[in-house]
Amino acid sequence: MVAVKFGIAIFPTDYSISMTELAPAVEQAGFESLWVAEHSHIPVSRLTPYPAGGELPRMYMHTMDPFIALTAAALASKTLLVGTGICLLIERDPIQTAKEAASVDLISNGRFLFGIGGGWNREEMADHGTAFETRWKLLRERVEAIKALWADEEAEYHGDLVNIEKSWFWPKPVQKPHPPIILGGNGPNTLKRVIAYCDGWMPNRGTALQRVAELREMEAEAGRGHIEVSFYPRATADDIEKAAAAGVERCIFYVSPDGRAPALLKLDELAKVTAQYRGN
């Protein structure tokens, strides 16, 4: 039997199912986690092509703030893990984001998962003052600064792009030493970044399954503990079994952002597909 956990993801929008209805439905259907995407805004200038090809779907322009969405989800559920999939930390102030993430972890009593990424939309990040070329260095420094704020009584961080003088910062997260930090993406240097400053890897489709063994070799060489892999397969028994055989520990599936009925219909379909692996 496949030993894998299952999560649900959504672009939470102003026209999608409410998080207070979706979260308990996901929990009652037997799923382990609920993930939300993030885009602060979408510049009308569409110089950066949509990675999936074609026109950019309207949900990208309508996405809610992920921490507010996850707060609603956490309060409407009891055991469901709630995560950012992903948080565009390169577009966010690290101090405020550290506070929002720690607050969700506190409100949920330690059920928060911090998925992060470097983004793809140059115009979007430019409006936040982020240069596309240095976004990965910025991401690492913001992660390191957030870890310091979460852990230290008098926290400080001094990098090339991020500077925080000695500060008092609360709340601290419930999870110790901190909520899992999970890096999204599957670029050539992604695994190096996972090893350097993250606790998990969350690639999308593509060649990711072939790289799980590479990650295991790298974590052993670095003396790291086990790094959990989450993945977004197609919702078929064959793809789920391939992911599990490759060493994926969590499979995540999207439900529709286009209203209540489509989301619940997809959730029911996914519950049936995964039931044999969840023992229900």
Side-chain angles (χ1 to χ4, degrees):
M1 181 63 69
V2 171
V4 65
K5 297 174 284 191
F6 294 99
I8 294 295
I10 191 171
F11 276 69
T13 71
D14 51 323
Y15 55 82
S16 58
I17 186 173
S18 72
M19 296 301 289
T20 52
E21 182 175 12
L22 179 61
V26 168
E27 186 172 63
Q28 290 162 18
F31 291 91
E32 169 249 14
S33 52
L34 176 60
W35 304 77
V36 298
E38 175 179 36
H39 281 277
S40 61
H41 70 302
I42 298 295
V44 173
S45 171
R46 298 293 310 119
L47 297 178
T48 305
Y50 177 41
E55 291 297 318
L56 189 67
R58 69 168 183 153
M59 61 193 181
Y60 281 79
M61 300 79 157
H62 288 256
T63 309
M64 292 172 56
D65 178 89
F67 295 102
I68 292 176
L70 292 180
T71 296
L75 292 174
S77 57
K78 296 178 180 178
T79 62
L80 189 70
L81 303 184
V82 294
T84 49
I86 58 171
C87 170
L88 290 170
L89 185 54
I90 57 157
E91 298 178 359
R92 289 179 153 270
D93 175 83
I95 301 172
Q96 198 64 42
T97 304
K99 185 172 287 286
E100 290 179 340
S103 297
V104 173
D105 198 55
L106 179 65
I107 288 169
S108 67
N109 194 28
R111 291 186 279 135
F112 176 63
L113 303 171
F114 193 28
I116 61 169
W120 56 268
N121 191 320
R122 290 172 181 257
E123 299 84 69
E124 180 182 352
M125 61 185 77
D127 283 350
H128 290 279
T130 296
F132 186 82
E133 294 74 17
T134 56
R135 72 194 189 283
W136 291 112
K137 181 176 183 178
L138 179 65
L139 181 70
R140 177 169 184 161
E141 289 195 6
R142 287 184 175 173
V143 168
E144 291 172 347
I146 286 172
K147 286 182 179 180
L149 290 167
W150 282 347
D152 300 338
E153 287 289 308
E154 294 185 355
E156 62 182 316
Y157 182 83
H158 306 287
D160 294 330
L161 302 174
V162 177
N163 190 70
I164 300 173
E165 297 300 330
K166 191 170 287 188
S167 303
W168 292 308
F169 173 93
W170 279 272
K172 306 296 185 186
V174 172
Q175 297 180 78
K176 304 301 180 188
H178 53 72
I181 299 173
I182 305 166
L183 183 63
N186 189 27
N189 294 311
T190 298
L191 296 185
K192 294 178 182 178
R193 296 178 180 123
V194 170
I195 295 293
Y197 56 89
C198 295
D199 309 296
W201 180 36
M202 186 164 55
N204 46 22
R205 298 172 195 168
T207 60
L209 295 185
Q210 289 74 48
R211 301 185 71 190
V212 176
E214 181 185 354
L215 175 64
R216 297 293 165 238
E217 292 175 4
M218 292 174 67
E219 71 184 9
E221 290 172 2
R224 290 289 311 269
H226 183 77
I227 293 172
E228 189 171 70
V229 179
S230 303
F231 184 61
Y232 292 79
R234 291 177 298 181
T236 66
D238 185 55
D239 275 36
I240 292 168
E241 288 166 11
K242 284 180 180 177
V248 168
E249 288 119 332
R250 177 185 291 116
C251 291
I252 305 171
F253 308 98
Y254 273 97
V255 296
S256 172
D258 294 324
R260 177 179 182 273
L264 293 177
L265 185 66
K266 186 64 176 180
L267 179 62
D268 184 62
E269 174 190 318
L270 292 167
K272 291 175 181 175
V273 170
T274 59
Q276 62 180 308
Y277 307 114
R278 293 183 288 111
N280 57 9

